Amino acid sequence: MEKIRIGIAGLGRLGKHHAGNLAFRVKGAELVAACSIVDAELDWARESLGVEHLFEDYERMLRSTQLDAVFLVTPTNRHPQQIMAALQAGRHVFCEKPLALTIAECEEVIGVAREHPDRVTAIGFVRRYDPGYAYAKRKIQAGAIGRPILFRAQTADMDETAAFQVEFSKSSGGVFLDASIHDMDLARWLLESEVQDVYCVGDCYVHAEFRRYDDADNATALYRLRNGAAASITVSRTAMHGHDTHAEVVGTKGSLVVGRPPRLVNVDICDEHGVRSECVPSFYERFEQAFLLEAQDFVRCVAEGCQPRCSLADAAEATRIAIATTTSYRRGERVVL
Amino acid sequence: MEKIRIGIAGLGRLGKHHAGNLAFRVKGAELVAACSIVDAELDWARESLGVEHLFEDYERMLRSTQLDAVFLVTPTNRHPQQIMAALQAGRHVFCEKPLALTIAECEEVIGVAREHPDRVTAIGFVRRYDPGYAYAKRKIQAGAIGRPILFRAQTADMDETAAFQVEFSKSSGGVFLDASIHDMDLARWLLESEVQDVYCVGDCYVHAEFRRYDDADNATALYRLRNGAAASITVSRTAMHGHDTHAEVVGTKGSLVVGRPPRLVNVDICDEHGVRSECVPSFYERFEQAFLLEAQDFVRCVAEGCQPRCSLADAAEATRIAIATTTSYRRGERVVL
Amino acid sequence: MEKIRIGIAGLGRLGKHHAGNLAFRVKGAELVAACSIVDAELDWARESLGVEHLFEDYERMLRSTQLDAVFLVTPTNRHPQQIMAALQAGRHVFCEKPLALTIAECEEVIGVAREHPDRVTAIGFVRRYDPGYAYAKRKIQAGAIGRPILFRAQTADMDETAAFQVEFSKSSGGVFLDASIHDMDLARWLLESEVQDVYCVGDCYVHAEFRRYDDADNATALYRLRNGAAASITVSRTAMHGHDTHAEVVGTKGSLVVGRPPRLVNVDICDEHGVRSECVPSFYERFEQAFLLEAQDFVRCVAEGCQPRCSLADAAEATRIAIATTTSYRRGERVVL
Amino acid sequence: MEKIRIGIAGLGRLGKHHAGNLAFRVKGAELVAACSIVDAELDWARESLGVEHLFEDYERMLRSTQLDAVFLVTPTNRHPQQIMAALQAGRHVFCEKPLALTIAECEEVIGVAREHPDRVTAIGFVRRYDPGYAYAKRKIQAGAIGRPILFRAQTADMDETAAFQVEFSKSSGGVFLDASIHDMDLARWLLESEVQDVYCVGDCYVHAEFRRYDDADNATALYRLRNGAAASITVSRTAMHGHDTHAEVVGTKGSLVVGRPPRLVNVDICDEHGVRSECVPSFYERFEQAFLLEAQDFVRCVAEGCQPRCSLADAAEATRIAIATTTSYRRGERVVL
C-alpha cells in the first residue's frame, strides 16, 4: 500500500484544516510538503504536522521530485494558473472552489486538463461529500421523491464574520462566486439539469461596506432549469444564530430537507430562553466531516485512477451561474445564460 | 350584550366550517340565516345549527330585516357583486378571499365601501389570525429580528386534492389567486412594503390537466419590494405528506420560522419508518383556530365599530400581485407591477 | 335542541376558564348560575359572561330549580361533599380532579353515585381529552405500537409558580395528588392495567418551604403494573423554560412521544440564543383545547345519557396511586398497593 | 513525534472498528499487532490495515517487544485477566467496558493497576467522549442548569439485533451489565454522586428466550443517589425505529436533552408517512465519532503520562450498580447498594 505524497499550498484557516486531515486522517495519503508565504504557517506545518519539505514558492514545490499531488487552498484568482502548472508538472490536483472568476479561465483550465487525462483534477465542492446532501442524492437516485422539481437552499454565514467578508470581497468575486456557488452546484447536481435563466434580489441591508465591491450581504435568486425545474437560492452574511446552510429538494412524490436546524451538537437546552439548540458557528464545523470525506475520495481517485464526482465542467458551470447571478443582482434584471 | 345577527351565504365545506363557528363558538354572534342553492345544505344548517331563516336567493336574504351582517363563502367571481349588494343593504360584510379576480372589480368594491364607512368590510386573509403568523408579526413589531429583509413561504396542498383543484381551477383564477395570495398578503404585512416586480418559475409537473386553464401545479415566485426586501413564495398542489404551509421571515437581527413541521398533533411516532409526525391533511385543520379567531375579530369589529386588520386596499393589492405572478408564470418573464 | 343549564362553583383562575368555555364555546350548554365567596368573581361572571343567577352559598345554588348540572372548580377537600350533595339534588356533576384526598371519601362518593346511575359524574382528568394524548390512545387501540409496556411521563410547572404552589400545598394534598395524578391516570389508561407497587425518589431541591408539608418540588416514581408493564413518572415545580408536560408510551412494536417540545406556538426563533421555541407558560395554555373538549364531552354525556371516558372508579384509583406515591416519597421505600 | 505502538486483541465487529481507527485516524498511534483466534480476522488485519504482527495467542502478543499498549475488545469474562497480564507486561491498556462481571474481579484489577501507576488503564465508557454527552458535561460544569437533580436516560437497541443479543446474553452478564452500564456511568458522572439504592421493573415482553439467562428485553430502573438526586434508566432490546440512546439531565436552573431524535443524518423526509427522519441502526453509527475521540484520548494519555477521564474505580462502580440493578430486576425488590 504505497501512499500518495501530497503537497499543500495555502495554510490559512481552511488550508490548516485540509493539512491536518491529510496528515493524520486520510488513509493512503502522506502530507510531505507545504507552501506558504507566511513563515509562521510553515513553522506550524513542520511542528504540528511533521511536514518535511517547506516552500515559499509554489513553482519550486511543484518541481520537487517527491510529489504525487497538490492541494490548492489559495486565493481564487491564483487557482487557474496553479492548477495548470500542477497538471503540466504531472501532479494530480485538488483545488478549493471556485475554479476561477471568469469563464475564459475555466475553459483554459479545462483545455489543459484535457491534455492530462490521467491526472485527477478535483474542485472542492465539498457539499457533495456532506453526509446530508449525499444522502439526499442517493434518495433521489433511488426514486424516493419521484422527479425533483424544486431546489430551495440557503447558505448563511454569521454576522460576526462580516468584517472579514468585506475585506475578502475584494478578491473573492463576491458572495455569489464565493458562497452561493455551492448551492448552484447542488442545484445542478440534484435537479440534474442546467440553469437557463436567473433573477436575483438582494442588497447590503446591514453592511453598506459591501457596496464598495458591488457585493451583497443578503440576496435570493430564482432559477429556471432547462428541464423545467426551479431553484431558489438564498445567501446571507448576517445570520445571528449560526452558520445556517440548508436545502430542500421537492419532488413529484415527496421532498427532502437537509441540514435543519444547524445544531452544533445533538443537544437541546431548556432554560429561560425556551427549548433551544446552539448552532454551528461556521462552515468548518458544519462541513468538518465532508472535508475529510472529500480528501479521502481524492486520494481514492488518485489511487484508482478515476475522476471525482464533481468534474471540471461542473465547476466551470457553477462559475457561469454565479457570474450570471451577480449580473442579475447588480442590474436588477433577469439574466439568461 | 346584544348579539350580532349574521347570515351566511355558501355552505360548501368551508362555508359549513364558518357556519359552525358562528353558531356555537363566537361570543356575541348569532347565526340567524343561511343561503344556499343546495337544499341539503340548508337542511344541514337547520338541523345541525338550528338556523331559522333559510334562503335560496342571496338578495332575499339581504332584504330580510333581521340581519346585521353577512358572511360570504361563495365562488370568487360572485364576491364583488355580493359585497357591494350587502353594503348597499346596510349590512356588515365578511367575505372569503380573494376579493375579486380583476383589479377593476377590486376598485369598484373599494369605491362602494368608501360610501359606507360605518360598515365593517373584512376579507378573509385568515393567516393574519393564525397564532403562528400573528406571533411572528408581534415579534417583528417588537423588534425581535430587526428590520425584515426576506420573506420565504410555501403553501402546499396534498396531491390527493389535485383532481378537485383542476375542476376548481376554472373559476378560482388559478393557483396564484386562490392559494399563493395568502402568502402575498403575508409578504406585504410582514415586510411592510409593496411589491415592485416578480419573476415566477413553475409548471404542471404532475397534473397536465392544469394546462387547460394555463395554471400550474407547482411554482415559485421571487419578488422585489419597494423597500428593498425580497420575498420568495412557493405554491404546490402535489404534496404527499400533508398540507404544508410555512414561512420564514429573515431580519437583520434574527429570523422566525412559522409552521414547520406541519404536525397534525404534537405526537412523534417511532416505528419502522423512523421518527415521524403525521401532518395536517388540509388547510381546515391547519387553520382551524385561525378561522375561529378571524370570525371572533369580525364580530368584535362590528360591535366596536372598527375595521379589521386587513383592509380592502390590502385585499386589492394581493389580487394585483397574484395577477402579476400569474402573468409572469405564463410568459416566463419578469413582470413589473 | 334544549340546552343543558349549568351552574359553576369556584371562579378562581381555572374556574373562570371553565366558565368562559361553558358560556360561549360549548354547543348545547348554558351557563345560568355561578357560586363564589368572592364578590369580585361573581361580578365578573355577571358582567363578562352574562350569568344571571349568582350565589355565595353552594347549597342554595343546588336548590335553585333551574339547574341541570354543576361544575365544581373548588378546593379538593370540598369535592366529595359537593359532588354527593349535587347528586342528591339530582344534578349531573363535573368536578375537577382529584376526586378526593382519601380513599374513604372516594368510596363514599362512588357509593352515592351508584344510587344515581342516571346522573353523569365526570372527574376532570383533562388530559384524556388533549388531542395529543387522545391520539396516542387511538393509535394504541389501533395496534400501532403493539402491546404497551412502558409509560414514561413528566408534568413540570414553571419555577415562578412555586411560591403559589407552596401556599397551595396546604390543601392540595401535595404534588403527587395535585399534579402527578394526571400521569397516574394516563398510565392506567394507556397501559390498560393497575398499579401494583411504587418507588419514589425526590426532594425539595430548590424550595425548602415545601418541607413544611412534607411535599416535594421534584420527584420521580417508578411503578410496576399488574400486567408487567412499567411506568416512570416525573413531577417538577421548578422548570425554567415553561410548563413541560409530556409522555412516551413504548410498545412492543413502536413508541409514541406526546407533547415534546412544549411549544407556545408553532414558531422557531433564530437569534443569538440559537434556534429556539418559546414554551407554554402554564397548563392553561397547554391544555386549553382539552378543557374545551372535556366540557363539550360532559354536555354530550348529559344530553345522551352516557358516562364520560374517565369513571369515578378511575378517579378513585388515581387517588390511591397518588397516596401510595406520597408514602413512598416520604418513607424512601417501595410501597405495595 | 514518536508513535505509540498498539496491539489489538479481538477483531469482531467492534474490534474491527477500533482497529480501523487506530490504523488510520489516530494521530500518534500505530497499529502494529493484532490477536484473534479467527484466521479470517487476522487476514483482514493484514490486508486491510497493513498490520504486520499477527497472533493467535494473547500472551505471545504481550511478550512481543514492539508494543507500548494493548486494546482489548474481547469477551467480558476475559477482561480482568487480560488487563492484569498487560499491566504486568508493562503495557498501557485500553479495555472495552465492562471492566468485569464481578466486584471481586474489579478490585483485583484495581489492585494490580495500583502497582503500575505509570501505565494508562482506560475502560471504554465511550459515551463520555460523545460530543453530545461531553457538551452536556461542560454545560453542567459551567453552571448552565444549576445543580443536576435528575438523570433520565435510555439505551435501546433495535429489535432485529435481539437474536444475537440472546446468544450474547450467556457471557455478557445480561442487559444491565452490557448496555445499561453506560447510563449508570453517565448518571454518576453527570450527577456527581454515588448510587445508594435501586428499584428495577422489566420483563421479557417480546423475546421469552432471554428468560433462559434471567435477563430482560426491556426494563426501567430508578436510583437514589447519595446527594439526593435521582436517576431513571431505561434499557430496551426491541426498538423498531433505530438504536435510540438519549438522556436528559434536569437541574435546578434548566435541563439538557442529549441525543434526541437519533437521526441517521440531518435530513428530514416528507412523504406519505409524514415528516420523518431515519435513525441510526446501531451504536456503531451513533457513537462513531466518540469511538474515535476515545482512542485519540487514550493515545494522548499515554503520550502525556496521564489517566483518562473514566478511572478504574469509576468502571468498578458501574459494575457494582449494574449488578445491583440485575438483582433488583430478578427479585422485584428495591436493592440498597
Side-chain angles (χ1 to χ4, degrees):
Chain A
M1 291 192 302
E2 208 150 311
K3 290 187 174 175
I4 311 296
R5 292 157 304 172
I6 301 175
I8 192 165
L11 288 171
R13 187 167 169 195
L14 182 54
K16 284 201 175 73
H17 195 97
H18 278 303
N21 278 342
L22 294 170
F24 302 120
R25 284 182 285 275
V26 178
K27 174 181 169 181
E30 196 175 0
L31 185 64
V32 298
C35 172
S36 168
I37 52 173
V38 181
D39 280 356
E41 291 178 359
L42 294 178
D43 290 349
W44 173 85
R46 184 176 45 236
E47 284 158 28
S48 298
L49 310 184
V51 176
E52 287 179 38
H53 305 286
L54 304 174
F55 300 88
E56 294 189 8
D57 182 75
Y58 174 66
E59 295 292 333
R60 287 195 52 209
M61 181 170 82
L62 274 189
R63 285 193 301 272
S64 126
T65 55
Q66 297 297 320
L67 292 189
D68 296 310
V70 291
F71 244 69
L72 300 177
V73 199
T74 51
T76 299
N77 56 14
R78 318 270 309 261
H79 289 177
Q81 288 309 317
Q82 291 182 331
I83 294 170
M84 291 185 290
L87 290 171
Q88 283 153 352
R91 310 304 179 212
H92 303 282
V93 185
F94 173 96
C95 179
E96 261 304 322
K97 43 55 58 183
L99 169 50
L101 296 175
T102 67
I103 305 296
E105 287 172 306
C106 289
E107 286 171 356
E108 202 185 341
V109 174
I110 289 174
V112 172
R114 207 169 284 136
E115 294 163 15
H116 301 85
D118 62 335
R119 296 297 89 179
V120 174
T121 318
I123 306 299
F125 283 96
V126 66
R127 294 190 195 170
R128 293 198 184 198
Y129 294 94
D130 174 64
Y133 291 102
Y135 173 94
K137 178 69 178 178
R138 287 195 308 273
K139 284 280 176 191
I140 291 167
Q141 287 176 322
I145 61 165
R147 181 163 60 98
I149 59 176
L150 172 64
F151 176 75
R152 204 160 36 173
Q154 172 181 295
T155 295
D157 284 308
M158 289 195 77
D159 187 65
E160 62 190 38
T161 69
F164 164 78
Q165 300 277 10
V166 168
E167 191 57 27
F168 186 48
S169 184
K170 259 186 272 190
S171 61
S172 72
V175 77
F176 304 106
L177 267 153
D178 182 52
S180 277
I181 199 167
H182 282 294
D183 288 316
M184 294 161 191
D185 178 57
L186 290 172
R188 292 180 63 250
W189 191 49
L190 297 171
L191 296 175
E192 297 191 335
S193 185
E194 299 302 330
V195 166
Q196 187 173 309
D197 63 38
V198 54
Y199 180 49
C200 179
V201 178
D203 206 344
C204 301
Y205 300 97
V206 179
H207 300 285
E209 305 90 309
F210 284 110
R211 290 197 210 283
R212 220 180 299 155
Y213 309 102
D214 218 345
D215 201 356
D217 60 22
N218 283 271
T220 297
L222 177 61
Y223 303 87
R224 181 192 305 272
L225 280 88
R226 294 204 185 282
N227 67 358
S232 172
I233 296 177
T234 295
V235 70
S236 172
R237 283 160 158 172
T238 62
M240 301 305 287
H241 58 297
H243 174 82
D244 190 349
T245 286
H246 58 250
E248 299 183 53
V249 193
V250 179
T252 52
K253 291 292 180 196
S255 58
L256 300 165
V257 183
V258 181
R260 303 197 76 161
R263 300 212 290 183
L264 175 63
V265 69
N266 61 349
V267 175
D268 287 325
I269 305 169
C270 305
D271 61 13
E272 66 274 21
H273 303 299
V275 175
R276 66 193 178 97
S277 295
E278 294 185 335
C279 297
V280 285
S282 77
F283 71 88
Y284 296 105
E285 294 80 15
R286 172 63 184 85
F287 292 105
E288 185 179 3
Q289 202 177 348
F291 280 120
L292 180 56
L293 293 168
E294 178 187 54
Q296 290 170 338
D297 193 58
F298 174 71
V299 168
R300 183 191 62 79
C301 286
V302 171
E304 300 181 3
C306 59
Q307 292 292 337
R309 61 183 75 163
C310 177
S311 70
L312 278 182
D314 288 326
E317 195 57 32
T319 290
R320 190 189 314 275
I321 300 167
I323 291 170
T325 307
T326 307
T327 304
S328 178
Y329 166 70
R330 289 176 179 170
R331 292 195 192 149
E333 290 171 11
R334 183 168 73 102
V335 169
V336 180
L337 272 84
Chain B
M1 289 193 301
E2 208 151 310
K3 290 188 175 174
I4 311 295
R5 291 157 304 173
I6 300 175
I8 192 166
L11 288 171
R13 188 167 169 195
L14 182 53
K16 284 201 175 72
H17 195 97
H18 279 302
N21 278 342
L22 293 171
F24 302 120
R25 285 182 284 274
V26 178
K27 173 182 169 180
E30 196 176 358
L31 185 65
V32 297
C35 172
S36 169
I37 52 173
V38 181
D39 280 355
E41 291 178 358
L42 294 178
D43 290 348
W44 173 86
R46 184 177 44 236
E47 284 158 29
S48 298
L49 309 184
V51 177
E52 286 178 38
H53 305 286
L54 305 173
F55 299 89
E56 293 191 7
D57 182 74
Y58 175 65
E59 295 292 334
R60 288 195 51 209
M61 181 170 82
L62 275 189
R63 286 195 299 274
S64 124
T65 55
Q66 297 297 322
L67 292 189
D68 296 308
V70 291
F71 244 69
L72 300 177
V73 199
T74 51
T76 298
N77 55 13
R78 318 273 307 263
H79 289 177
Q81 288 310 317
Q82 291 182 330
I83 295 171
M84 292 186 289
L87 289 171
Q88 282 153 352
R91 311 303 180 211
H92 302 283
V93 185
F94 173 95
C95 179
E96 261 304 321
K97 44 53 62 183
L99 169 50
L101 295 176
T102 67
I103 305 296
E105 287 172 305
C106 290
E107 286 171 358
E108 202 184 341
V109 174
I110 289 175
V112 172
R114 207 170 283 135
E115 294 164 15
H116 301 85
D118 62 336
R119 296 297 89 181
V120 174
T121 319
I123 306 299
F125 282 96
V126 65
R127 295 191 194 169
R128 293 199 184 197
Y129 294 93
D130 174 64
Y133 291 101
Y135 173 94
K137 179 69 180 179
R138 288 194 307 274
K139 283 281 176 191
I140 291 168
Q141 288 175 321
I145 61 165
R147 180 161 62 97
I149 59 177
L150 173 64
F151 175 76
R152 205 161 37 175
Q154 172 181 294
T155 296
D157 283 307
M158 289 194 77
D159 187 65
E160 62 191 37
T161 68
F164 164 77
Q165 300 278 9
V166 167
E167 191 56 28
F168 185 48
S169 184
K170 259 185 273 189
S171 61
S172 72
V175 77
F176 304 106
L177 267 153
D178 182 52
S180 278
I181 200 167
H182 282 294
D183 287 317
M184 295 161 191
D185 178 58
L186 290 172
R188 293 180 62 249
W189 190 49
L190 296 172
L191 296 175
E192 297 191 337
S193 185
E194 298 302 331
V195 166
Q196 188 172 308
D197 62 38
V198 54
Y199 180 48
C200 178
V201 177
D203 207 343
C204 302
Y205 300 98
V206 179
H207 300 286
E209 304 90 309
F210 284 110
R211 289 197 211 285
R212 220 180 301 154
Y213 308 102
D214 218 346
D215 201 356
D217 61 21
N218 284 271
T220 298
L222 177 62
Y223 303 86
R224 181 192 306 273
L225 280 88
R226 295 205 184 282
N227 68 357
S232 173
I233 295 177
T234 295
V235 70
S236 173
R237 282 160 159 172
T238 62
M240 300 305 287
H241 58 298
H243 174 83
D244 191 349
T245 287
H246 59 250
E248 300 184 54
V249 194
V250 179
T252 52
K253 292 291 179 196
S255 58
L256 301 165
V257 183
V258 181
R260 301 197 78 161
R263 300 211 291 183
L264 174 63
V265 68
N266 61 350
V267 175
D268 288 326
I269 304 170
C270 304
D271 61 13
E272 66 275 21
H273 303 297
V275 174
R276 66 191 177 98
S277 295
E278 294 185 335
C279 298
V280 285
S282 77
F283 71 89
Y284 297 103
E285 295 79 16
R286 172 65 184 84
F287 293 104
E288 185 178 2
Q289 202 177 349
F291 280 119
L292 180 57
L293 293 167
E294 178 186 55
Q296 289 171 338
D297 193 57
F298 173 71
V299 168
R300 183 192 61 78
C301 286
V302 171
E304 300 181 3
C306 58
Q307 292 292 337
R309 62 183 75 166
C310 177
S311 70
L312 278 182
D314 288 326
E317 195 57 32
T319 290
R320 190 188 315 273
I321 299 168
I323 291 170
T325 306
T326 306
T327 304
S328 178
Y329 166 70
R330 289 176 178 170
R331 293 195 192 149
E333 290 171 12
R334 182 168 73 102
V335 170
V336 180
L337 273 85
Chain C
M1 290 193 302
E2 206 150 312
K3 290 188 175 175
I4 312 295
R5 290 157 306 170
I6 301 175
I8 193 166
L11 288 171
R13 187 167 169 194
L14 182 53
K16 284 200 174 74
H17 196 97
H18 278 304
N21 278 342
L22 294 170
F24 303 120
R25 285 182 284 275
V26 178
K27 175 181 168 180
E30 195 176 359
L31 185 65
V32 297
C35 172
S36 169
I37 53 173
V38 181
D39 280 355
E41 292 178 358
L42 294 179
D43 291 348
W44 173 85
R46 185 178 43 235
E47 284 158 28
S48 297
L49 309 184
V51 176
E52 286 178 38
H53 305 286
L54 304 173
F55 299 89
E56 293 190 8
D57 182 74
Y58 175 66
E59 295 292 334
R60 287 195 51 211
M61 181 170 81
L62 276 188
R63 283 194 302 273
S64 124
T65 54
Q66 297 298 321
L67 291 189
D68 296 310
V70 292
F71 243 69
L72 301 176
V73 199
T74 51
T76 299
N77 55 13
R78 319 271 307 265
H79 289 176
Q81 288 310 316
Q82 291 182 330
I83 295 170
M84 292 185 290
L87 290 171
Q88 283 153 351
R91 310 303 179 213
H92 303 282
V93 186
F94 173 95
C95 179
E96 261 305 321
K97 42 55 61 184
L99 169 51
L101 296 174
T102 68
I103 306 296
E105 287 173 305
C106 290
E107 287 170 356
E108 203 185 339
V109 174
I110 290 174
V112 171
R114 206 169 284 136
E115 294 164 14
H116 301 85
D118 62 335
R119 296 296 90 181
V120 173
T121 319
I123 306 300
F125 283 97
V126 65
R127 295 190 196 170
R128 293 198 184 196
Y129 293 94
D130 174 63
Y133 291 102
Y135 173 94
K137 179 68 179 178
R138 288 194 307 272
K139 284 280 176 192
I140 292 168
Q141 287 175 322
I145 62 166
R147 182 162 60 99
I149 59 176
L150 173 63
F151 175 75
R152 204 161 37 174
Q154 171 181 295
T155 297
D157 284 308
M158 289 195 77
D159 187 65
E160 61 191 38
T161 69
F164 164 79
Q165 301 277 10
V166 168
E167 191 57 27
F168 186 49
S169 185
K170 259 186 272 189
S171 61
S172 72
V175 76
F176 304 106
L177 267 152
D178 182 52
S180 278
I181 199 167
H182 282 294
D183 288 317
M184 295 161 190
D185 177 59
L186 290 173
R188 294 180 62 251
W189 190 49
L190 296 172
L191 297 175
E192 296 192 335
S193 185
E194 299 302 330
V195 166
Q196 187 173 309
D197 62 37
V198 55
Y199 180 49
C200 179
V201 177
D203 206 343
C204 302
Y205 300 97
V206 179
H207 301 285
E209 304 90 307
F210 284 110
R211 289 198 210 284
R212 219 179 300 153
Y213 308 102
D214 219 346
D215 201 357
D217 60 22
N218 282 272
T220 298
L222 177 61
Y223 303 87
R224 182 192 305 272
L225 281 85
R226 295 206 185 278
N227 67 357
S232 173
I233 295 177
T234 294
V235 71
S236 172
R237 282 159 160 173
T238 63
M240 301 304 286
H241 58 298
H243 174 83
D244 191 349
T245 286
H246 58 249
E248 298 183 54
V249 193
V250 179
T252 52
K253 292 291 180 196
S255 58
L256 300 165
V257 183
V258 181
R260 301 197 79 161
R263 300 212 290 183
L264 175 62
V265 68
N266 61 349
V267 176
D268 287 326
I269 304 169
C270 305
D271 61 13
E272 66 274 22
H273 304 297
V275 174
R276 65 191 178 97
S277 295
E278 294 185 335
C279 298
V280 285
S282 78
F283 71 88
Y284 297 104
E285 293 80 15
R286 172 64 183 85
F287 293 105
E288 185 179 2
Q289 202 177 349
F291 280 121
L292 179 57
L293 293 167
E294 179 186 55
Q296 289 170 338
D297 193 57
F298 174 71
V299 168
R300 183 190 63 79
C301 286
V302 171
E304 301 181 2
C306 60
Q307 291 292 337
R309 60 182 76 164
C310 177
S311 72
L312 278 182
D314 289 325
E317 196 57 31
T319 290
R320 189 187 316 273
I321 300 166
I323 291 170
T325 307
T326 307
T327 304
S328 179
Y329 166 70
R330 289 176 178 169
R331 291 195 193 150
E333 289 171 10
R334 183 169 72 102
V335 169
V336 179
L337 272 84
Chain D
M1 291 193 301
E2 207 149 312
K3 290 188 175 175
I4 311 296
R5 291 158 306 173
I6 301 175
I8 192 165
L11 288 171
R13 187 166 170 195
L14 183 53
K16 284 201 175 72
H17 195 97
H18 278 303
N21 278 342
L22 294 169
F24 303 119
R25 285 182 284 275
V26 178
K27 175 181 168 181
E30 197 176 359
L31 185 65
V32 298
C35 173
S36 169
I37 53 173
V38 181
D39 280 355
E41 292 177 357
L42 293 178
D43 292 347
W44 173 87
R46 184 176 46 236
E47 284 157 28
S48 298
L49 310 184
V51 176
E52 287 178 38
H53 306 286
L54 304 173
F55 300 88
E56 293 191 9
D57 182 75
Y58 175 66
E59 295 292 334
R60 288 194 51 210
M61 182 170 81
L62 276 188
R63 285 195 300 273
S64 125
T65 54
Q66 297 298 320
L67 291 190
D68 296 309
V70 291
F71 243 69
L72 301 176
V73 200
T74 52
T76 299
N77 56 12
R78 319 272 306 264
H79 289 175
Q81 289 309 317
Q82 291 182 329
I83 295 170
M84 292 185 290
L87 290 171
Q88 282 153 352
R91 309 303 180 213
H92 303 283
V93 186
F94 172 95
C95 179
E96 260 305 320
K97 42 56 59 182
L99 170 50
L101 296 175
T102 68
I103 305 297
E105 287 172 304
C106 290
E107 285 170 357
E108 202 184 341
V109 175
I110 289 174
V112 172
R114 206 170 283 135
E115 294 163 15
H116 300 86
D118 62 336
R119 296 297 90 180
V120 173
T121 319
I123 306 299
F125 283 96
V126 66
R127 294 190 196 171
R128 293 198 184 198
Y129 294 94
D130 173 63
Y133 291 102
Y135 173 94
K137 179 69 178 177
R138 288 195 307 274
K139 284 279 174 192
I140 292 167
Q141 288 175 322
I145 61 165
R147 181 162 61 97
I149 59 177
L150 173 63
F151 175 76
R152 204 161 36 173
Q154 172 180 296
T155 296
D157 284 308
M158 289 194 76
D159 187 66
E160 63 190 38
T161 69
F164 164 79
Q165 301 278 9
V166 168
E167 192 56 26
F168 186 48
S169 184
K170 260 186 272 190
S171 62
S172 72
V175 76
F176 305 106
L177 267 152
D178 182 52
S180 278
I181 199 167
H182 283 293
D183 288 316
M184 295 161 190
D185 177 59
L186 290 173
R188 293 180 61 251
W189 190 49
L190 296 172
L191 296 175
E192 296 191 337
S193 185
E194 298 303 332
V195 166
Q196 187 173 307
D197 62 38
V198 55
Y199 180 49
C200 178
V201 177
D203 207 343
C204 302
Y205 299 98
V206 179
H207 300 285
E209 305 90 307
F210 284 110
R211 291 197 209 284
R212 220 180 301 154
Y213 309 101
D214 218 346
D215 201 356
D217 60 23
N218 283 272
T220 299
L222 176 62
Y223 303 87
R224 181 191 306 274
L225 280 87
R226 295 206 184 281
N227 67 357
S232 173
I233 295 177
T234 295
V235 69
S236 173
R237 282 159 160 173
T238 62
M240 301 305 286
H241 58 299
H243 174 83
D244 191 350
T245 287
H246 58 249
E248 299 183 54
V249 194
V250 179
T252 53
K253 293 291 178 195
S255 58
L256 300 165
V257 182
V258 181
R260 301 196 77 161
R263 299 212 290 183
L264 174 63
V265 69
N266 61 350
V267 176
D268 287 325
I269 304 169
C270 304
D271 61 13
E272 66 274 21
H273 304 297
V275 174
R276 65 192 179 97
S277 294
E278 294 185 336
C279 297
V280 286
S282 78
F283 72 89
Y284 296 104
E285 294 80 17
R286 173 64 184 85
F287 293 105
E288 186 178 4
Q289 202 177 349
F291 281 120
L292 180 56
L293 293 168
E294 179 187 55
Q296 289 170 338
D297 193 57
F298 174 71
V299 168
R300 183 191 63 79
C301 286
V302 171
E304 300 181 3
C306 59
Q307 292 292 337
R309 60 183 74 164
C310 177
S311 72
L312 278 181
D314 288 326
E317 195 58 30
T319 291
R320 190 188 314 275
I321 300 167
I323 291 170
T325 307
T326 307
T327 305
S328 178
Y329 166 71
R330 290 175 178 170
R331 291 194 193 150
E333 289 172 11
R334 183 169 72 104
V335 170
V336 179
L337 272 84

